[in-house]
Amino acid sequence: METTLDIFVKAIFSENMIFAYFLGMCSYLAVSKTVKTAVGLGAAVIFVLLVTVPVNYLLENYLLKEGALAWIDPNNQALADMDLSFLSFIMFIAVVASIVQLVEMLVEKFAPALYGALGIFLPLIAVNCSILGAALFMSERQYSTIGDATAFAVGSGIGWFIAIVAIAAIREKVRYSNVPAPLRGLGITFILTGLMGIAFMSFMGIDYKSEKKDDAKVVTSQLAPNNNTNTNKLPE
Amino acid sequence: MSEVAKTKEPKEPLFSKKNKQLVTDPLTDNNPITIQVLGICSALAITVQVKQAVVMSISVMFVLILGNMIISMLRNLIPSRIRIIVQLVVVASLVIIVDQLLAAFMPDVSEQLSVFVGLIITNCIIMGRFEAFAMANKPWPSIMDGFGNALGYAWILVLVAVVRELLGSGSLYGYKIFGSAIPGEEWGLYTMGYANNNMMILPPMALIVVGIIIWVQRSRNKALIEEH
Amino acid sequence: MAVNRDSNGYTFAFAITLVVVVGAILASIAMWTKPYKNANDEVKKKMDILKALLPSEEANDISRKNAAEEFVKYVNMEDAVVLDMNGNVLEGEDAFSIDIKKQYRDKKLKAEEKKYPLFVATNKEGKKSYVIPVVGTGLWGPIWGNICLAEDMKTIQGATFDHKTETPGLGAEIKQAFFIKGWIGEEVSDENGFKKFEVVKDNSGALPSKIDGITGGTITSKGVEEMANRCLEIYVSYFNNLKK
């Protein structure tokens, strides 16, 4: 069984939202020109993930999943058989969008200074696919407790934060390099992200299940990492 | 919708120069992927094989045209403060309805497509066009805009997929171009020691291929070059 | 426009109308399509069992249209059994209706409560074969399949693997014939009991039951390995009891 720490570390590195799943790419590419704005957007993403994923987890487990409504009345068979999972996409989206809206209003009212710094990023986040992606992954992977789901949310957020701050820092430096003119801006950012993605793939080699390993698996675990790409000729 | 557009604007023909431009612009100088930076997430995830890129393109075209039309018809009703939620709900419901209908009546197609459901809903190209075009334009131009942007999205997607499938798996649309690499049954180039570039199959290579496409495109049209 | 579109009242009214309309449309479509979807799922399950069971030439002829009638020809549901985690038969269970995918995903279900169905089929020559449904985890999401054992209850005669979310061209290749071919003819047990499988690159690896993996699809291949080992072990103890 995965521990909460496993889930957390995995979400930051080997299952990084940007480099492994390409989620949240659009704002990642658009808002990574300077480190300062990247930090702002990254922090906002962490925060929104931290709030929306647990809310969606509760919704999923106590409202939408087949049999999830059983808590209302354990003896009511009709409630136990109710399956509202067809609504989950809509519900997740509604939760994300309304929480972003709510946070925006609250921050504007009670912390105008923070709003000045974060404000323009908040509406952007509602359309950031990494937020909805995290909700869908959470539902797909069936985390057993809300703690695990939250660890996953924070981990994903931190992973996204690291990715956008790193690319912004590189882009600030690249500005002084002699990049071929047609490649400047977007082009070089794509290629840099690709190279960073390849680097991040090495984290796939982390074996999270090491304590359960038996003799048979020791031999094969050396093969498990996906970092060695051009290995043997095998059937495609 | 064409009738409505006609009756409202009798002076402007359906395929006027302006409307045609809505379709042709996104193909090159205003391409959703290489210029507007929209829809990257899904573009990269499904370009390992041409077949999937084609299926994804068709699905996006369908959702984008229909969604643009609906948003454009509702544009005078949607309160501006919650417009993003409304847009998200429209696109998600569209996709879910189509998905459910396919699962019930065309189960084989549904098996092929079900992977894409999440990808389409989270595709920012759809949200981006709603926000940038459909919210401010009449239904017919919105349909044209949806069609054009979906085409612009499609050709980049298919191009990236062609490069990746050909070099990575030695095939195109599932047909083995370079022969077969299965041990004991090798034929074609593989008997001469050719090996597939497995690197091309990895997701980061999609980014690098798109980067190269941008390079080529901007070398041809200097006006698109950015400062930094 | 007469109505102020930015007023709170209008915003709320619009939001509520939207939620009601969308909710009603979605709910009615979901309810309307549910019977069709359940029927499709049932046919699909029969198709998968048949595909693992039959030799590849015949399996290619199985489609949604003829799956139900072909299924009755080969598989006798009277013979199907349901096992617990120790390989003991559970009485009074319907093997076909057990959803092992749901059971696998449900983390709150205890290992002892999980049920393992086994389908028994008889071919035209009267030989028996055993179809074991398996389920596990790939790289991105669940993977599942059926493994069919021949009459001796240990040689793999056929298999199917399926998935929804694995990387196309990499992990997704577990569906392909060349990967399944590697499993056919392998034995799941010897005189010492259950034999572990290993999905490897080339001919590396120490265990005798080796299956060629998929380049670049290592994690999915490993998922199939884990799935086969975990699920088959339960059935081997049942078969051993049966042989005695």
Side-chain angles (χ1 to χ4, degrees), chain A residues 121-192:
Chain A
F121 299 118
L122 284 167
L124 273 178
I125 288 169
V127 288
N128 186 327
C129 11
S130 66
I131 310 279
L132 188 62
L136 295 176
F137 280 137
M138 178 270 302
S139 137
E140 182 65 44
R141 293 181 191 157
Q142 298 283 311
Y143 289 114
S144 45
T145 64
I146 191 167
D148 284 358
T150 316
F152 164 73
V154 179
S156 302
I158 294 177
W160 205 90
F161 180 90
I162 292 175
I164 192 167
V165 172
I167 193 76
I170 294 175
R171 283 180 83 169
E172 279 191 1
K173 295 284 173 209
V174 161
R175 200 165 299 161
Y176 306 108
S177 312
N178 191 14
V179 179
L183 211 50
R184 270 178 211 152
L186 199 57
I188 195 72
T189 314
F190 266 98
I191 292 175
L192 284 171

Side-chain angles (χ1 to χ4, degrees), chain B residues 28-47:
Chain B
T28 51
D29 292 350
N30 197 17
N31 188 282
I33 294 184
T34 60
I35 310 293
Q36 302 174 37
V37 208
L38 290 174
I40 310 286
C41 325
S42 53
L44 303 175
I46 45 111
T47 48

Side-chain angles (χ1 to χ4, degrees), chain A residues 33-177:
Chain A
K33 284 202 173 117
T34 62
V35 173
K36 207 178 154 204
T37 50
V39 168
L41 186 63
V45 166
I46 297 182
F47 179 74
V48 172
L49 274 172
L50 176 66
V51 180
T52 55
V53 170
V55 171
N56 280 331
Y57 180 86
L58 294 176
L59 263 182
E60 158 102 6
N61 281 286
Y62 294 101
L63 194 62
L64 299 171
K65 218 162 67 174
E66 191 174 354
L69 287 167
W71 58 272
I72 299 174
D73 179 6
N75 301 321
N76 189 334
Q77 196 54 40
L79 276 180
D81 288 341
M82 192 95 86
D83 182 4
L84 295 177
S85 48
F86 63 90
L87 283 176
S88 48
F89 269 123
I90 289 274
M91 286 302 259
F92 291 163
I93 288 171
V95 165
V96 170
S98 46
I99 286 184
V100 169
Q101 203 95 52
L102 204 70
V103 168
E104 193 184 347
M105 287 195 259
L106 287 179
V107 171
E108 190 179 8
K109 184 140 182 119
F110 296 109
L114 186 63
Y115 182 78
L118 266 186
I120 50 159
F121 299 118
L122 284 167
L124 273 178
I125 288 169
V127 288
N128 186 327
C129 11
S130 66
I131 310 279
L132 188 62
L136 295 176
F137 280 137
M138 178 270 302
S139 137
E140 182 65 44
R141 293 181 191 157
Q142 298 283 311
Y143 289 114
S144 45
T145 64
I146 191 167
D148 284 358
T150 316
F152 164 73
V154 179
S156 302
I158 294 177
W160 205 90
F161 180 90
I162 292 175
I164 192 167
V165 172
I167 193 76
I170 294 175
R171 283 180 83 169
E172 279 191 1
K173 295 284 173 209
V174 161
R175 200 165 299 161
Y176 306 108
S177 312

Side-chain angles (χ1 to χ4, degrees), chain A residues 22 26 101 129 175 185-186 229, chain B residues 34 41 81 124 196 202-203 228:
Chain A
F22 299 119
C26 309
Q101 203 95 52
C129 11
R175 200 165 299 161
L186 199 57
T229 51
Chain B
T34 60
C41 325
R81 232 185 308 160
C124 21
N196 285 328
L202 298 177
H228 296 295

